Amino acid sequence: MPVLRDDPSVRWYEPGVYAVVPGVYRIPLPLHDELRAVNVYAIEDGDGFTLIDSGQVLTEARQRLEGSLAELGAGLGDVRQFLVTHVHRDHYTQAVAVRRDFGTKVSLGAGEQASFKLISDPAAPAYHQQLMDLRRNGASQVADEVLAVLADETVPHYAWEPPDAWIESRTFHVAGRHRLEARATPGRTQGHLVYVEPDDGVLFAGDHLLPHITPSIGLEPAPGASPLADYLRSLRDVRTLPDFRLLPAHGPVAASSHARIDELLDHHDTRLRAVETAVERGARTAFDVSQVLVWTRRERTFASLPPYHQMLAVIETAYHLYLLVSQGRLVPREADGVTYYAPGRPDGAGQL
């Protein structure tokens, strides 16, 4: 399979090696879920390559990566390092498997350390925090349904091993002629990083900016206190950078990082208003509000979502509610282990 021009008319998840800018190639690797694929970016690095993200530890993904590197005249042993944007399985776990065979250096954002400690601990139950959050937000039935399907959503603990290096924000990493700046973008996860390459005018955005979907936030073993607030701050921070070409982890390359950031900020403003309105009309828990809202670009009802995605919906709604409380627009109260919400006072004063 020859190296192809990254043509937006081609479905982004089609197998291939796509030239993005000179010395940078996009390699979509398969996933067994609705995302279809994850983009791994291969950057020429001397006589080898640096890879941004690695894919999931799946036989098909490994074979696809090997074949794609062969098209570039290289093999897995020629990968100098993996710069992983965040700790999710579809970005990190194949890097660990490749390192076991070739000793490749693997790096991850320093903010992922708390989540990594849990995710790699055999004694730590999968999605423990998320299941507690469901029950706290009035969605115990969803929690029970998610428990029944967790085996399909969980990568074994032995797939996780610590990185060789924990990357701090505003540090620089050299890959051949490319000088990449790591920028912390907490929200999707606490340790999420994007990588900026100003000479080529590109932003390796991981899951921070996705062109067609809104990233779920706080989906990690150890989420922050207010992942939505973190995410919105991260969006605004990246918005202060030049308007780079957007190289996302899922979806096609896009011309403007600024345009997508503006869309995402507008989306969350709209969502906050919808959540506040739902409470004003009588919804009292995150579970109640989730059932009033519509989900995905297809505007699906909550009831039509499978249990795992219902979990994501309730938790995302809860984070919008937390932010509205911090802004004084809603007031929370606890009863029998469940958090309930009511409209804030007319003067905007709320209580935490």
Side-chain angles (χ1 to χ4, degrees):
M1 183 183 297
V3 175
L4 306 169
R5 183 172 62 88
D6 205 342
D7 184 347
S9 68
V10 176
R11 291 181 299 185
W12 73 271
Y13 50 84
E14 292 293 334
V17 180
Y18 300 89
V20 180
V21 295
V24 177
Y25 305 91
R26 183 177 66 84
I27 303 172
L29 299 182
L31 297 173
H32 296 165
D33 59 29
E34 72 284 348
L35 290 174
R36 294 181 179 269
V38 57
N39 290 322
V40 170
Y41 293 93
I43 304 171
E44 292 179 356
D45 188 353
D47 58 355
F49 288 88
T50 285
L51 267 56
I52 305 287
D53 288 329
S54 72
Q56 189 166 328
V57 59
L58 298 168
T59 299
E60 184 182 354
R62 172 87 169 227
Q63 293 171 345
R64 187 79 55 80
L65 182 57
E66 288 177 327
S68 298
L69 289 172
E71 291 296 329
L72 297 171
L76 286 175
D78 298 308
V79 178
R80 301 286 171 257
Q81 60 179 334
F82 289 99
L83 299 176
V84 181
T85 58
H86 61 295
V87 76
H88 285 171
R89 61 188 181 182
D90 54 327
H91 297 256
Y92 187 77
T93 55
Q94 185 156 243
V96 171
V98 172
R99 182 177 62 183
R100 288 171 183 158
D101 293 336
F102 297 98
T104 316
K105 182 179 179 181
V106 178
S107 300
L108 188 64
E112 302 287 37
Q113 291 180 68
S115 280
F116 194 91
K117 183 178 180 181
L118 291 172
I119 206 169
S120 59
D121 181 359
Y127 295 97
H128 177 68
Q129 183 63 51
Q130 285 70 34
L131 293 170
M132 287 199 308
D133 287 343
L134 287 175
R135 300 186 191 284
R136 185 180 300 119
N137 285 286
S140 291
Q141 180 179 342
V142 176
D144 293 339
E145 292 173 353
V146 169
L147 272 172
V149 299
L150 269 188
D152 297 330
E153 301 290 346
T154 305
V155 173
H157 289 288
Y158 59 75
W160 304 92
E161 293 176 357
D164 299 285
W166 296 103
I167 294 180
E168 299 288 346
S169 188
R170 307 296 181 96
T171 56
F172 291 88
H173 306 269
V174 176
R177 69 171 181 83
H178 305 273
R179 191 166 184 258
L180 308 171
E181 182 186 7
R183 302 277 294 222
T185 49
R188 173 66 164 158
T189 65
Q190 283 295 292
H192 193 289
L193 297 171
V194 301
Y195 286 92
V196 176
E197 216 293 18
D199 291 340
D200 285 326
V202 295
L203 173 69
F204 299 93
D207 282 3
H208 180 60
L209 299 175
L210 301 176
H212 292 158
I213 59 177
T214 304
S216 298
I217 52 175
L219 185 61
E220 55 191 323
S226 184
L228 178 57
D230 292 337
Y231 182 61
L232 296 178
R233 279 192 294 268
S234 295
L235 286 175
R236 294 185 180 105
D237 176 61
V238 175
R239 186 62 169 77
T240 66
L241 299 172
D243 191 10
F244 291 122
R245 193 175 182 193
L246 171 60
L247 277 55
H250 307 283
V253 170
S256 170
S257 58
H258 284 185
R260 185 54 180 153
I261 290 170
D262 292 344
E263 289 172 352
L264 288 165
L265 288 171
D266 182 67
H267 164 80
H268 283 290
D269 282 345
T270 300
R271 203 64 163 176
L272 285 165
R273 289 193 296 271
V275 169
E276 185 177 23
T277 297
V279 173
E280 290 171 346
R281 292 177 177 176
R284 287 293 173 260
T285 67
F287 181 55
D288 294 339
V289 175
S290 299
Q291 295 178 90
V292 174
L293 303 176
V294 292
W295 297 94
T296 80
R297 289 182 299 154
R298 298 177 181 86
E299 296 192 340
R300 296 177 62 180
T301 64
F302 181 85
S304 72
L305 300 175
Y308 183 81
H309 289 84
Q310 287 186 350
M311 174 180 75
L312 300 182
V314 173
I315 290 171
E316 181 169 323
T317 300
Y319 291 142
H320 282 78
L321 289 162
Y322 298 165
L323 185 56
L324 289 167
V325 168
S326 72
Q327 295 172 350
R329 294 159 65 178
L330 296 179
V331 178
R333 68 177 179 86
E334 303 289 330
D336 299 322
V338 175
T339 303
Y340 297 88
Y341 296 89
R345 295 195 296 274
D347 63 3
Q351 65 183 50
L352 291 176

